[in-house]
Amino acid sequence: MLRIITDSASDLPREYIMAHGLHVIPTPVVIDEVDYFDGKTIQTKEFYHILDDTKRDVRTYHINPAMFEEAFLPYAKAGDSIIYICFSTGIAGTLNAANIAKANVLERYPDFDLTIIDSKSASIGFGLLVSKLVTMLENGASKETITEAAEYFISHIHHVFTVHTLAYLVKGGRLSRFKGTIAETLDMKPILIVDKEGSLQVLKTVRGRKKSMKALIDYAKSNGYDLPAQTLAFCHGEDEEALQFLLDLADTELKPKDKLISTVGCAIGAHTGRGIVGLCFFDAPGDPYSAYL
């Protein structure tokens, strides 16, 4: 049987995961030296409540080879064919760990058919990509067609985000403390993108929270392809007010056919804090694969 699996950095809504029977490997998060697993032993509301407390020690590490082996082995034993869509290598070392695990499993099950694909994506952009491929699988696409489509969609996906506070970008070393302090004082908000190599980049900064969310919409208008025909993906870090503001803007200015909405999980939220909000979309049509979409 052909199966698609992914990891929790895709931030797909629980309802979607359950409806499609999708196997999502949880990303670890360490809180006060205790390991938790994103979406499995800790949920977002509890996680952000902990993250808000600056006295708590919160950090993440990527899924390690042993965890991947545990996830892959049941499929190897069953003789299933697997496509694993992986968190961007531009942000984490997940791909390398998955390949180490694959090599170990193949020593025991040399016929195991496992394809690992670097999504070069994060959060709900990653989830949007996975959802496209799951739809194709459910509509009868072959493994070869799905892997080909994955590369096509990866090359055409856009992610644009902003954050409420710069404290976590400073803590993670993506912004100097000096620049971060000045920017916070001036209420400057960064507009961040995931580039074509899957790395996080600061596109520009704008002044004020609402202007930063308007900038996300403007970026989509400038870079998207036929947005009213698309399912657009939206995410937020347990900030319903910001999410609703962005959704209202999108309804007015982008008029998407449909929306995929999720909460940013531990893997990314630990490095952005509460209040991250983002929008993801494609800059090309899905026509080459429309028969399966």
Side-chain angles (χ1 to χ4, degrees):
M1 178 183 291
L2 177 59
R3 300 281 300 271
I4 290 174
I5 63 176
T6 189
D7 60 68
S8 68
S10 59
D11 288 340
L12 280 162
R14 177 175 294 276
E15 296 78 13
Y16 180 93
I17 292 167
M18 299 299 292
H20 295 271
L22 185 63
H23 181 181
V24 178
I25 305 170
T27 299
V29 57
V30 183
I31 301 172
D32 299 329
E33 301 304 320
V34 177
D35 281 20
Y36 296 84
F37 294 91
D38 188 11
K40 184 176 181 182
T41 60
I42 189 166
Q43 306 301 322
T44 56
K45 286 189 182 300
E46 179 188 5
F47 172 72
Y48 282 102
H49 179 72
I50 291 168
L51 196 63
D52 288 340
D53 184 348
T54 57
K55 296 178 182 178
R56 307 293 294 271
D57 179 33
V58 180
R59 55 190 170 85
T60 62
Y61 62 94
H62 63 72
I63 302 164
N64 65 37
M67 296 171 187
F68 276 120
E69 282 191 52
E70 183 181 358
F72 294 156
L73 273 171
Y75 299 111
K77 291 176 182 178
D80 290 333
S81 179
I82 300 299
I83 300 171
Y84 165 55
I85 315 297
C86 169
F87 187 23
S88 174
T89 53
I91 300 174
T94 313
L95 180 68
N96 185 52
N99 277 317
I100 292 170
K102 176 181 177 179
N104 292 341
V105 173
L106 285 173
E107 288 182 3
R108 296 171 59 186
Y109 297 91
D111 295 329
F112 182 38
D113 180 21
L114 169 62
T115 298
I116 300 173
I117 297 174
D118 178 5
S119 70
K120 297 183 181 178
S121 299
S123 191
I124 198 57
F126 181 8
L128 181 62
L129 170 68
V130 171
S131 71
K132 286 271 190 187
L133 304 180
V134 167
T135 297
M136 291 182 66
L137 174 63
E138 292 175 346
N139 287 332
S142 67
K143 184 173 186 178
E144 180 181 12
T145 301
I146 292 171
T147 54
E148 179 186 275
E151 297 305 322
Y152 174 83
F153 288 119
I154 289 167
S155 69
H156 290 293
I157 195 165
H158 287 259
H159 314 60
V160 61
F161 301 88
T162 189
V163 294
H164 184 55
T165 174
L166 298 171
Y168 297 89
L169 295 178
V170 170
K171 182 180 178 182
R174 296 191 180 276
L175 189 67
S176 73
R177 186 170 298 278
F178 176 72
K179 288 183 178 178
T181 300
I182 292 174
E184 290 275 55
T185 302
L186 297 174
D187 195 27
M188 299 302 292
K189 306 298 183 186
I191 307 303
L192 304 123
I193 60 168
V194 177
D195 67 19
K196 292 300 182 182
E197 300 307 313
S199 297
L200 197 64
Q201 303 292 339
V202 178
L203 185 66
K204 62 179 180 178
T205 57
V206 299
R207 193 166 191 172
R209 178 69 160 161
K210 290 186 176 180
K211 284 184 180 178
S212 71
M213 288 187 278
K214 179 66 165 60
L216 306 186
I217 299 295
D218 291 342
Y219 179 85
K221 288 165 74 173
S222 297
N223 293 278
Y225 175 88
D226 194 13
L227 295 172
Q230 288 194 40
T231 293
L232 304 186
F234 300 83
C235 62
H236 68 109
E238 288 293 350
D239 188 337
E240 294 286 349
E241 183 179 345
L243 172 67
Q244 192 58 55
F245 184 84
L246 184 63
L247 292 175
D248 290 344
L249 277 177
D251 282 340
T252 300
E253 300 195 34
L254 307 181
K255 299 178 172 60
K257 177 186 72 174
D258 204 355
K259 304 184 191 80
L260 178 63
I261 300 169
S262 81
T263 306
V264 176
C266 306
I268 295 161
H271 305 281
T272 62
R274 184 190 295 274
I276 182 174
V277 62
L279 166 61
C280 302
F281 57 91
F282 293 100
D283 66 12
D287 293 356
Y289 306 99
S290 58
Y292 300 104
L293 294 169

